[in-house]
Amino acid sequence: QVQLVESGGGLVQPGESLTLSCAASGFNSYIMAWYRQAPNAKREWVALIVLGGTTSYPESVQARFTISRDNVGGVVYLRMDNLKPEDTATYYCNAPRGYTTDFVPVAGVAFDWGQGTQVIVSS
């Protein structure tokens, strides 16, 4: 069974940066995405990376978030710059079932959700 372990979250002030890490045991998918879920909100995707390194982001985080992958260790990262209070959420990684022609993850993921890592942006 694949286990996803997210780390790197914490408490930061608006405008600061943070980098999250996602380690997967048992399987390394070439299609990976980061998701987040704020309290009382639906889980939403915030970054996608496909084979070859092509990435995509929703407008809410575009130009501020950067997803990357360590092809040696299989770790997926999410660099978050210029963080805003609305970025406060628990962040998760997973492997989407696929993606659209617009590079948007389709519904559904391949693995059980991990514990996530909390990001709190507050002054």
Side-chain angles (χ1 to χ4, degrees), residues 4 6 18-23 29-36 44-58 61-71 74-81 91-96 99 103-105:
L4 302 172
E6 301 91 348
L18 201 60
T19 298
L20 309 181
S21 299
C22 169
S29 176
Y30 65 90
I31 303 175
M32 293 295 293
W34 281 94
Y35 304 79
R36 70 183 181 187
E44 61 178 349
W45 75 282
V46 295
L48 171 72
I49 185 167
V50 302
L51 182 65
T54 299
T55 61
S56 64
Y57 314 86
V61 306
Q62 198 167 39
R64 298 189 299 114
F65 287 15
T66 303
I67 186 173
S68 62
R69 180 167 184 161
D70 181 353
N71 290 321
V75 180
V76 180
Y77 303 96
L78 181 67
R79 177 179 175 176
M80 303 180 293
D81 295 319
Y91 285 72
Y92 306 85
C93 63
N94 215 312
Y99 55 93
F103 288 89
V104 175

CSV table of all heavy atoms in Angstrom, one decimal, residues 4 6 18-23 29-36 44-58 61-71 74-81 91-96 99 103-105:
chain,number,residue,atom,x,y,z
A,4,LEU,N,1.4,8.2,1.7
A,4,LEU,CA,1.8,9.6,1.4
A,4,LEU,C,2.0,10.4,2.7
A,4,LEU,O,1.2,10.4,3.6
A,4,LEU,CB,0.7,10.3,0.6
A,4,LEU,CG,0.3,9.6,-0.7
A,4,LEU,CD1,-0.9,10.3,-1.3
A,4,LEU,CD2,1.5,9.6,-1.7
A,6,GLU,N,3.1,14.1,4.0
A,6,GLU,CA,3.4,15.5,3.8
A,6,GLU,C,4.1,16.2,4.9
A,6,GLU,O,3.8,15.8,6.1
A,6,GLU,CB,2.1,16.3,3.5
A,6,GLU,CG,1.3,15.7,2.3
A,6,GLU,CD,0.3,14.6,2.7
A,6,GLU,OE1,0.3,14.1,3.8
A,6,GLU,OE2,-0.6,14.3,1.8
A,18,LEU,N,7.1,29.4,2.0
A,18,LEU,CA,7.1,28.1,2.7
A,18,LEU,C,7.2,27.0,1.6
A,18,LEU,O,6.6,27.2,0.5
A,18,LEU,CB,5.9,27.9,3.5
A,18,LEU,CG,5.9,26.9,4.7
A,18,LEU,CD1,7.0,27.3,5.7
A,18,LEU,CD2,4.6,26.8,5.3
A,19,THR,N,7.9,26.0,1.8
A,19,THR,CA,8.1,24.9,0.9
A,19,THR,C,7.6,23.6,1.6
A,19,THR,O,8.1,23.2,2.6
A,19,THR,CB,9.5,24.7,0.4
A,19,THR,OG1,9.9,25.9,-0.3
A,19,THR,CG2,9.6,23.5,-0.6
A,20,LEU,N,6.7,22.9,1.0
A,20,LEU,CA,6.1,21.6,1.5
A,20,LEU,C,6.8,20.5,0.7
A,20,LEU,O,7.2,20.6,-0.4
A,20,LEU,CB,4.6,21.6,1.3
A,20,LEU,CG,3.8,22.8,1.8
A,20,LEU,CD1,2.3,22.5,1.6
A,20,LEU,CD2,4.1,23.0,3.3
A,21,SER,N,6.8,19.3,1.4
A,21,SER,CA,7.4,18.1,0.8
A,21,SER,C,6.4,17.0,0.9
A,21,SER,O,5.6,16.9,1.8
A,21,SER,CB,8.7,17.7,1.5
A,21,SER,OG,9.7,18.7,1.4
A,22,CYS,N,6.4,16.1,-0.1
A,22,CYS,CA,5.5,15.0,-0.2
A,22,CYS,C,6.4,13.8,-0.5
A,22,CYS,O,7.0,13.7,-1.6
A,22,CYS,CB,4.4,15.2,-1.2
A,22,CYS,SG,3.5,13.7,-1.6
A,23,ALA,N,6.4,12.8,0.4
A,23,ALA,CA,7.1,11.6,0.2
A,23,ALA,C,6.1,10.4,0.1
A,23,ALA,O,5.2,10.3,0.9
A,23,ALA,CB,8.1,11.3,1.3
A,29,SER,N,4.5,8.0,-8.6
A,29,SER,CA,3.7,8.3,-9.8
A,29,SER,C,4.3,9.5,-10.5
A,29,SER,O,4.8,10.4,-9.8
A,29,SER,CB,2.3,8.7,-9.3
A,29,SER,OG,1.5,9.1,-10.5
A,30,TYR,N,4.2,9.5,-11.8
A,30,TYR,CA,4.7,10.7,-12.5
A,30,TYR,C,3.7,11.8,-12.7
A,30,TYR,O,4.0,12.9,-13.1
A,30,TYR,CB,5.2,10.3,-13.9
A,30,TYR,CG,4.2,9.7,-14.8
A,30,TYR,CD1,3.5,10.6,-15.7
A,30,TYR,CD2,3.8,8.4,-14.9
A,30,TYR,CE1,2.5,10.2,-16.6
A,30,TYR,CE2,2.9,7.9,-15.8
A,30,TYR,CZ,2.2,8.8,-16.6
A,30,TYR,OH,1.2,8.4,-17.5
A,31,ILE,N,2.5,11.5,-12.3
A,31,ILE,CA,1.4,12.5,-12.2
A,31,ILE,C,1.1,12.8,-10.7
A,31,ILE,O,0.5,11.9,-10.1
A,31,ILE,CB,0.2,12.1,-13.0
A,31,ILE,CG1,0.5,11.8,-14.4
A,31,ILE,CG2,-0.9,13.2,-12.9
A,31,ILE,CD1,-0.6,11.3,-15.2
A,32,MET,N,1.5,13.9,-10.2
A,32,MET,CA,1.2,14.2,-8.8
A,32,MET,C,0.6,15.6,-8.7
A,32,MET,O,0.8,16.5,-9.5
A,32,MET,CB,2.5,14.2,-8.0
A,32,MET,CG,3.1,12.8,-7.9
A,32,MET,SD,2.0,11.6,-6.9
A,32,MET,CE,2.1,12.4,-5.3
A,33,ALA,N,-0.2,15.8,-7.7
A,33,ALA,CA,-0.8,17.1,-7.4
A,33,ALA,C,-0.8,17.4,-5.9
A,33,ALA,O,-0.8,16.5,-5.1
A,33,ALA,CB,-2.2,17.1,-8.0
A,34,TRP,N,-0.9,18.7,-5.6
A,34,TRP,CA,-1.1,19.1,-4.3
A,34,TRP,C,-2.5,19.6,-4.2
A,34,TRP,O,-3.1,20.2,-5.1
A,34,TRP,CB,-0.1,20.3,-3.9
A,34,TRP,CG,1.2,19.8,-3.6
A,34,TRP,CD1,2.3,19.7,-4.4
A,34,TRP,CD2,1.7,19.4,-2.3
A,34,TRP,NE1,3.4,19.3,-3.7
A,34,TRP,CE2,3.1,19.1,-2.4
A,34,TRP,CE3,1.1,19.3,-1.1
A,34,TRP,CZ2,3.8,18.6,-1.4
A,34,TRP,CZ3,1.9,18.9,0.0
A,34,TRP,CH2,3.2,18.5,-0.1
A,35,TYR,N,-3.1,19.3,-3.0
A,35,TYR,CA,-4.5,19.8,-2.7
A,35,TYR,C,-4.5,20.5,-1.4
A,35,TYR,O,-3.5,20.3,-0.6
A,35,TYR,CB,-5.5,18.6,-2.6
A,35,TYR,CG,-5.5,17.7,-3.9
A,35,TYR,CD1,-4.5,16.8,-4.1
A,35,TYR,CD2,-6.6,17.8,-4.8
A,35,TYR,CE1,-4.6,15.9,-5.3
A,35,TYR,CE2,-6.6,17.0,-5.9
A,35,TYR,CZ,-5.6,16.1,-6.2
A,35,TYR,OH,-5.7,15.3,-7.3
A,36,ARG,N,-5.5,21.2,-1.1
A,36,ARG,CA,-5.6,21.8,0.2
A,36,ARG,C,-7.1,21.9,0.6
A,36,ARG,O,-8.0,21.9,-0.2
A,36,ARG,CB,-5.0,23.2,0.2
A,36,ARG,CG,-5.8,24.3,-0.6
A,36,ARG,CD,-5.1,25.6,-0.5
A,36,ARG,NE,-5.9,26.6,-1.3
A,36,ARG,CZ,-5.4,27.9,-1.5
A,36,ARG,NH1,-4.2,28.2,-1.1
A,36,ARG,NH2,-6.1,28.7,-2.2
A,44,GLU,N,-9.5,21.3,-2.6
A,44,GLU,CA,-9.3,21.8,-3.9
A,44,GLU,C,-7.8,21.5,-4.3
A,44,GLU,O,-7.0,21.5,-3.5
A,44,GLU,CB,-9.6,23.3,-3.9
A,44,GLU,CG,-8.7,24.1,-3.0
A,44,GLU,CD,-9.0,25.6,-3.1
A,44,GLU,OE1,-9.7,26.0,-4.0
A,44,GLU,OE2,-8.5,26.4,-2.3
A,45,TRP,N,-7.6,21.4,-5.6
A,45,TRP,CA,-6.2,21.2,-6.1
A,45,TRP,C,-5.6,22.6,-6.2
A,45,TRP,O,-6.2,23.6,-6.5
A,45,TRP,CB,-6.2,20.5,-7.4
A,45,TRP,CG,-6.7,21.3,-8.6
A,45,TRP,CD1,-7.9,21.6,-8.9
A,45,TRP,CD2,-5.8,21.9,-9.6
A,45,TRP,NE1,-7.9,22.4,-10.1
A,45,TRP,CE2,-6.6,22.5,-10.5
A,45,TRP,CE3,-4.4,21.9,-9.8
A,45,TRP,CZ2,-6.1,23.2,-11.6
A,45,TRP,CZ3,-3.9,22.5,-10.9
A,45,TRP,CH2,-4.7,23.2,-11.8
A,46,VAL,N,-4.3,22.6,-6.0
A,46,VAL,CA,-3.6,23.9,-6.1
A,46,VAL,C,-2.3,23.7,-7.0
A,46,VAL,O,-1.7,24.8,-7.3
A,46,VAL,CB,-3.1,24.4,-4.7
A,46,VAL,CG1,-4.4,24.7,-3.9
A,46,VAL,CG2,-2.3,23.4,-4.0
A,47,ALA,N,-2.0,22.5,-7.4
A,47,ALA,CA,-0.8,22.4,-8.3
A,47,ALA,C,-0.8,21.0,-8.9
A,47,ALA,O,-1.2,20.0,-8.2
A,47,ALA,CB,0.5,22.6,-7.5
A,48,LEU,N,-0.3,20.9,-10.1
A,48,LEU,CA,-0.3,19.6,-10.8
A,48,LEU,C,1.1,19.6,-11.6
A,48,LEU,O,1.5,20.6,-12.1
A,48,LEU,CB,-1.4,19.5,-11.8
A,48,LEU,CG,-1.4,18.3,-12.8
A,48,LEU,CD1,-1.7,17.0,-12.1
A,48,LEU,CD2,-2.3,18.5,-14.0
A,49,ILE,N,1.7,18.4,-11.5
A,49,ILE,CA,2.9,18.2,-12.3
A,49,ILE,C,2.7,16.9,-13.0
A,49,ILE,O,2.4,15.8,-12.5
A,49,ILE,CB,4.1,18.2,-11.5
A,49,ILE,CG1,5.4,18.1,-12.3
A,49,ILE,CG2,4.1,17.1,-10.4
A,49,ILE,CD1,6.7,18.5,-11.6
A,50,VAL,N,3.0,16.9,-14.3
A,50,VAL,CA,2.9,15.7,-15.2
A,50,VAL,C,4.3,15.2,-15.7
A,50,VAL,O,5.3,15.9,-15.4
A,50,VAL,CB,2.0,15.9,-16.3
A,50,VAL,CG1,0.6,16.3,-15.8
A,50,VAL,CG2,2.5,16.9,-17.3
A,51,LEU,N,4.3,14.1,-16.4
A,51,LEU,CA,5.6,13.6,-17.0
A,51,LEU,C,6.2,14.7,-17.8
A,51,LEU,O,5.6,15.4,-18.6
A,51,LEU,CB,5.3,12.4,-17.8
A,51,LEU,CG,6.5,11.7,-18.4
A,51,LEU,CD1,7.4,11.1,-17.3
A,51,LEU,CD2,6.1,10.6,-19.4
A,52,GLY,N,7.5,14.9,-17.6
A,52,GLY,CA,8.3,15.9,-18.3
A,52,GLY,C,8.4,17.2,-17.6
A,52,GLY,O,9.1,18.1,-18.0
A,53,GLY,N,7.6,17.4,-16.5
A,53,GLY,CA,7.7,18.6,-15.7
A,53,GLY,C,6.7,19.7,-16.0
A,53,GLY,O,6.8,20.7,-15.3
A,54,THR,N,5.8,19.4,-16.9
A,54,THR,CA,4.7,20.4,-17.2
A,54,THR,C,3.9,20.6,-15.9
A,54,THR,O,3.5,19.6,-15.3
A,54,THR,CB,3.9,20.0,-18.3
A,54,THR,OG1,4.6,19.9,-19.5
A,54,THR,CG2,2.7,21.0,-18.6
A,55,THR,N,3.6,21.8,-15.6
A,55,THR,CA,2.9,22.2,-14.3
A,55,THR,C,1.7,23.0,-14.6
A,55,THR,O,1.7,23.7,-15.7
A,55,THR,CB,3.8,22.8,-13.3
A,55,THR,OG1,4.3,24.1,-13.8
A,55,THR,CG2,5.0,22.0,-12.9
A,56,SER,N,0.7,23.0,-13.7
A,56,SER,CA,-0.4,23.9,-13.9
A,56,SER,C,-0.9,24.2,-12.5
A,56,SER,O,-0.7,23.5,-11.5
A,56,SER,CB,-1.5,23.2,-14.7
A,56,SER,OG,-2.0,22.1,-14.1
A,57,TYR,N,-1.7,25.4,-12.4
A,57,TYR,CA,-2.2,25.9,-11.2
A,57,TYR,C,-3.5,26.6,-11.4
A,57,TYR,O,-3.7,27.1,-12.5
A,57,TYR,CB,-1.2,26.9,-10.5
A,57,TYR,CG,0.2,26.4,-10.5
A,57,TYR,CD1,1.1,26.6,-11.6
A,57,TYR,CD2,0.8,25.7,-9.4
A,57,TYR,CE1,2.4,26.2,-11.6
A,57,TYR,CE2,2.1,25.3,-9.4
A,57,TYR,CZ,2.9,25.5,-10.5
A,57,TYR,OH,4.2,25.1,-10.5
A,58,PRO,N,-4.4,26.6,-10.4
A,58,PRO,CA,-5.6,27.4,-10.5
A,58,PRO,C,-5.2,28.8,-10.3
A,58,PRO,O,-4.1,29.2,-9.8
A,58,PRO,CB,-6.5,26.8,-9.4
A,58,PRO,CG,-5.5,26.4,-8.4
A,58,PRO,CD,-4.3,25.8,-9.2
A,61,VAL,N,-3.7,30.5,-7.0
A,61,VAL,CA,-2.3,30.4,-6.5
A,61,VAL,C,-1.3,30.6,-7.6
A,61,VAL,O,-0.1,30.6,-7.4
A,61,VAL,CB,-2.1,29.0,-5.9
A,61,VAL,CG1,-3.1,28.7,-4.8
A,61,VAL,CG2,-2.1,27.9,-6.9
A,62,GLN,N,-1.8,30.8,-8.8
A,62,GLN,CA,-0.9,30.9,-10.0
A,62,GLN,C,0.1,32.1,-9.8
A,62,GLN,O,-0.3,33.2,-9.3
A,62,GLN,CB,-1.7,31.1,-11.3
A,62,GLN,CG,-0.9,30.9,-12.5
A,62,GLN,CD,-1.8,30.8,-13.8
A,62,GLN,OE1,-2.8,31.5,-13.8
A,62,GLN,NE2,-1.5,29.8,-14.6
A,63,ALA,N,1.3,31.9,-10.1
A,63,ALA,CA,2.4,32.9,-10.0
A,63,ALA,C,2.9,33.0,-8.6
A,63,ALA,O,3.9,33.7,-8.4
A,63,ALA,CB,1.9,34.3,-10.5
A,64,ARG,N,2.3,32.3,-7.7
A,64,ARG,CA,2.8,32.3,-6.3
A,64,ARG,C,3.3,30.9,-5.9
A,64,ARG,O,4.2,30.8,-5.1
A,64,ARG,CB,1.7,32.8,-5.3
A,64,ARG,CG,1.2,34.2,-5.6
A,64,ARG,CD,0.3,34.7,-4.4
A,64,ARG,NE,-0.9,33.9,-4.3
A,64,ARG,CZ,-1.2,33.1,-3.3
A,64,ARG,NH1,-0.3,33.0,-2.2
A,64,ARG,NH2,-2.3,32.4,-3.2
A,65,PHE,N,2.6,29.8,-6.4
A,65,PHE,CA,3.0,28.5,-6.0
A,65,PHE,C,3.8,27.8,-7.1
A,65,PHE,O,3.5,28.1,-8.3
A,65,PHE,CB,1.8,27.6,-5.7
A,65,PHE,CG,1.1,28.0,-4.4
A,65,PHE,CD1,1.3,29.1,-3.7
A,65,PHE,CD2,0.1,27.1,-3.9
A,65,PHE,CE1,0.7,29.4,-2.5
A,65,PHE,CE2,-0.5,27.4,-2.7
A,65,PHE,CZ,-0.2,28.5,-2.0
A,66,THR,N,4.7,27.0,-6.8
A,66,THR,CA,5.5,26.2,-7.8
A,66,THR,C,5.6,24.8,-7.3
A,66,THR,O,6.2,24.5,-6.2
A,66,THR,CB,6.9,26.8,-7.9
A,66,THR,OG1,6.8,28.2,-8.3
A,66,THR,CG2,7.7,26.1,-9.0
A,67,ILE,N,5.2,23.8,-8.1
A,67,ILE,CA,5.3,22.4,-7.8
A,67,ILE,C,6.5,21.9,-8.6
A,67,ILE,O,6.8,22.3,-9.7
A,67,ILE,CB,4.0,21.6,-8.2
A,67,ILE,CG1,4.2,20.2,-7.8
A,67,ILE,CG2,3.7,21.7,-9.7
A,67,ILE,CD1,2.9,19.4,-7.9
A,68,SER,N,7.3,21.0,-8.0
A,68,SER,CA,8.4,20.4,-8.6
A,68,SER,C,8.6,19.0,-8.0
A,68,SER,O,8.0,18.6,-7.1
A,68,SER,CB,9.7,21.2,-8.4
A,68,SER,OG,10.0,21.3,-7.0
A,69,ARG,N,9.5,18.2,-8.7
A,69,ARG,CA,9.7,16.9,-8.3
A,69,ARG,C,11.1,16.5,-8.3
A,69,ARG,O,11.8,16.8,-9.3
A,69,ARG,CB,8.9,15.9,-9.2
A,69,ARG,CG,9.0,14.4,-8.9
A,69,ARG,CD,8.0,13.6,-9.5
A,69,ARG,NE,8.1,12.2,-9.1
A,69,ARG,CZ,7.2,11.3,-9.3
A,69,ARG,NH1,6.0,11.7,-9.9
A,69,ARG,NH2,7.3,10.0,-8.9
A,70,ASP,N,11.6,15.8,-7.3
A,70,ASP,CA,12.9,15.3,-7.2
A,70,ASP,C,12.9,14.0,-7.9
A,70,ASP,O,12.4,13.0,-7.4
A,70,ASP,CB,13.4,15.2,-5.8
A,70,ASP,CG,14.8,14.6,-5.6
A,70,ASP,OD1,15.4,14.2,-6.7
A,70,ASP,OD2,15.3,14.6,-4.5
A,71,ASN,N,13.4,13.9,-9.1
A,71,ASN,CA,13.3,12.7,-9.9
A,71,ASN,C,14.3,11.6,-9.4
A,71,ASN,O,14.2,10.4,-9.8
A,71,ASN,CB,13.6,12.9,-11.4
A,71,ASN,CG,12.5,13.7,-12.0
A,71,ASN,OD1,11.4,13.4,-11.8
A,71,ASN,ND2,12.9,14.6,-12.9
A,74,GLY,N,12.2,11.0,-5.7
A,74,GLY,CA,10.8,10.8,-5.9
A,74,GLY,C,9.9,11.7,-5.0
A,74,GLY,O,8.7,11.5,-4.8
A,75,VAL,N,10.5,12.7,-4.4
A,75,VAL,CA,9.8,13.6,-3.5
A,75,VAL,C,9.2,14.8,-4.3
A,75,VAL,O,9.9,15.3,-5.3
A,75,VAL,CB,10.8,14.2,-2.4
A,75,VAL,CG1,10.0,15.2,-1.5
A,75,VAL,CG2,11.4,13.1,-1.6
A,76,VAL,N,8.0,15.1,-4.0
A,76,VAL,CA,7.3,16.2,-4.7
A,76,VAL,C,7.3,17.4,-3.8
A,76,VAL,O,6.9,17.3,-2.6
A,76,VAL,CB,5.9,15.8,-5.1
A,76,VAL,CG1,5.2,17.0,-5.8
A,76,VAL,CG2,5.9,14.6,-6.0
A,77,TYR,N,7.6,18.6,-4.3
A,77,TYR,CA,7.6,19.8,-3.5
A,77,TYR,C,6.6,20.8,-3.9
A,77,TYR,O,6.1,20.8,-5.1
A,77,TYR,CB,9.0,20.4,-3.6
A,77,TYR,CG,10.1,19.5,-3.2
A,77,TYR,CD1,10.9,18.8,-4.1
A,77,TYR,CD2,10.5,19.4,-1.8
A,77,TYR,CE1,11.9,18.0,-3.8
A,77,TYR,CE2,11.5,18.5,-1.5
A,77,TYR,CZ,12.2,17.9,-2.4
A,77,TYR,OH,13.3,17.0,-2.1
A,78,LEU,N,6.2,21.7,-3.0
A,78,LEU,CA,5.3,22.8,-3.3
A,78,LEU,C,5.9,24.0,-2.7
A,78,LEU,O,5.9,24.2,-1.5
A,78,LEU,CB,3.9,22.6,-2.8
A,78,LEU,CG,2.9,23.7,-3.2
A,78,LEU,CD1,2.7,23.8,-4.7
A,78,LEU,CD2,1.6,23.5,-2.4
A,79,ARG,N,6.5,24.9,-3.5
A,79,ARG,CA,7.0,26.1,-3.0
A,79,ARG,C,5.9,27.2,-3.1
A,79,ARG,O,5.3,27.4,-4.1
A,79,ARG,CB,8.2,26.6,-3.9
A,79,ARG,CG,8.7,28.0,-3.4
A,79,ARG,CD,9.9,28.4,-4.3
A,79,ARG,NE,10.4,29.7,-3.9
A,79,ARG,CZ,11.4,30.3,-4.4
A,79,ARG,NH1,12.2,29.7,-5.3
A,79,ARG,NH2,11.7,31.6,-4.1
A,80,MET,N,5.7,27.8,-2.0
A,80,MET,CA,4.6,28.8,-1.9
A,80,MET,C,5.2,30.1,-1.5
A,80,MET,O,5.8,30.3,-0.4
A,80,MET,CB,3.6,28.4,-0.8
A,80,MET,CG,3.0,27.0,-1.0
A,80,MET,SD,1.8,26.5,0.2
A,80,MET,CE,2.9,26.3,1.6
A,81,ASP,N,5.1,31.1,-2.4
A,81,ASP,CA,5.6,32.4,-2.2
A,81,ASP,C,4.5,33.4,-2.0
A,81,ASP,O,3.3,33.2,-2.4
A,81,ASP,CB,6.4,32.9,-3.4
A,81,ASP,CG,7.7,32.1,-3.6
A,81,ASP,OD1,8.3,31.7,-2.6
A,81,ASP,OD2,8.0,31.7,-4.8
A,91,TYR,N,-2.6,20.9,3.7
A,91,TYR,CA,-2.2,20.6,2.4
A,91,TYR,C,-1.9,19.1,2.3
A,91,TYR,O,-1.2,18.5,3.1
A,91,TYR,CB,-1.0,21.4,2.0
A,91,TYR,CG,-1.3,22.9,1.7
A,91,TYR,CD1,-1.7,23.7,2.7
A,91,TYR,CD2,-1.3,23.4,0.4
A,91,TYR,CE1,-2.0,25.1,2.5
A,91,TYR,CE2,-1.6,24.7,0.1
A,91,TYR,CZ,-2.0,25.5,1.2
A,91,TYR,OH,-2.3,26.8,0.9
A,92,TYR,N,-2.3,18.5,1.2
A,92,TYR,CA,-2.2,17.1,0.9
A,92,TYR,C,-1.6,16.9,-0.5
A,92,TYR,O,-1.8,17.7,-1.4
A,92,TYR,CB,-3.5,16.4,0.9
A,92,TYR,CG,-4.3,16.5,2.2
A,92,TYR,CD1,-5.2,17.6,2.4
A,92,TYR,CD2,-4.2,15.6,3.2
A,92,TYR,CE1,-5.9,17.8,3.5
A,92,TYR,CE2,-5.0,15.7,4.4
A,92,TYR,CZ,-5.8,16.8,4.5
A,92,TYR,OH,-6.6,17.0,5.7
A,93,CYS,N,-0.9,15.8,-0.7
A,93,CYS,CA,-0.5,15.4,-2.0
A,93,CYS,C,-1.2,14.1,-2.4
A,93,CYS,O,-1.6,13.3,-1.5
A,93,CYS,CB,1.0,15.3,-2.1
A,93,CYS,SG,1.7,14.0,-1.0
A,94,ASN,N,-1.3,13.8,-3.7
A,94,ASN,CA,-1.9,12.6,-4.1
A,94,ASN,C,-1.7,12.5,-5.7
A,94,ASN,O,-1.2,13.5,-6.3
A,94,ASN,CB,-3.4,12.5,-3.8
A,94,ASN,CG,-3.8,11.1,-3.5
A,94,ASN,OD1,-3.5,10.1,-4.2
A,94,ASN,ND2,-4.5,10.9,-2.4
A,95,ALA,N,-2.0,11.4,-6.2
A,95,ALA,CA,-1.9,11.1,-7.6
A,95,ALA,C,-3.3,11.2,-8.3
A,95,ALA,O,-4.1,10.3,-8.1
A,95,ALA,CB,-1.2,9.8,-7.9
A,96,PRO,N,-3.6,12.2,-9.1
A,96,PRO,CA,-4.8,12.3,-9.8
A,96,PRO,C,-5.0,11.1,-10.7
A,96,PRO,O,-4.0,10.5,-11.2
A,96,PRO,CB,-4.8,13.6,-10.6
A,96,PRO,CG,-3.7,14.4,-9.9
A,96,PRO,CD,-2.7,13.4,-9.4
A,99,TYR,N,-5.8,14.0,-16.1
A,99,TYR,CA,-5.9,15.4,-16.2
A,99,TYR,C,-6.6,15.7,-17.5
A,99,TYR,O,-6.5,15.0,-18.5
A,99,TYR,CB,-4.6,16.1,-16.0
A,99,TYR,CG,-3.5,15.7,-16.9
A,99,TYR,CD1,-3.3,16.3,-18.1
A,99,TYR,CD2,-2.7,14.6,-16.6
A,99,TYR,CE1,-2.3,15.9,-19.0
A,99,TYR,CE2,-1.7,14.2,-17.4
A,99,TYR,CZ,-1.5,14.8,-18.6
A,99,TYR,OH,-0.5,14.4,-19.4
A,103,PHE,N,-4.9,20.7,-18.4
A,103,PHE,CA,-4.1,20.4,-17.3
A,103,PHE,C,-4.7,20.7,-16.0
A,103,PHE,O,-4.1,21.2,-15.1
A,103,PHE,CB,-2.7,21.1,-17.5
A,103,PHE,CG,-1.9,20.5,-18.6
A,103,PHE,CD1,-2.0,21.1,-19.8
A,103,PHE,CD2,-1.0,19.5,-18.3
A,103,PHE,CE1,-1.2,20.6,-20.9
A,103,PHE,CE2,-0.2,19.0,-19.4
A,103,PHE,CZ,-0.3,19.5,-20.6
A,104,VAL,N,-6.0,20.3,-15.9
A,104,VAL,CA,-6.7,20.3,-14.6
A,104,VAL,C,-6.9,18.9,-14.2
A,104,VAL,O,-7.4,18.0,-14.9
A,104,VAL,CB,-8.0,21.0,-14.8
A,104,VAL,CG1,-8.8,20.9,-13.5
A,104,VAL,CG2,-7.8,22.5,-15.2
A,105,PRO,N,-6.6,18.5,-12.9
A,105,PRO,CA,-6.8,17.1,-12.5
A,105,PRO,C,-8.2,16.7,-12.6
A,105,PRO,O,-9.1,17.5,-12.2
A,105,PRO,CB,-6.3,17.2,-11.0
A,105,PRO,CG,-5.3,18.4,-11.0
A,105,PRO,CD,-5.9,19.4,-11.9
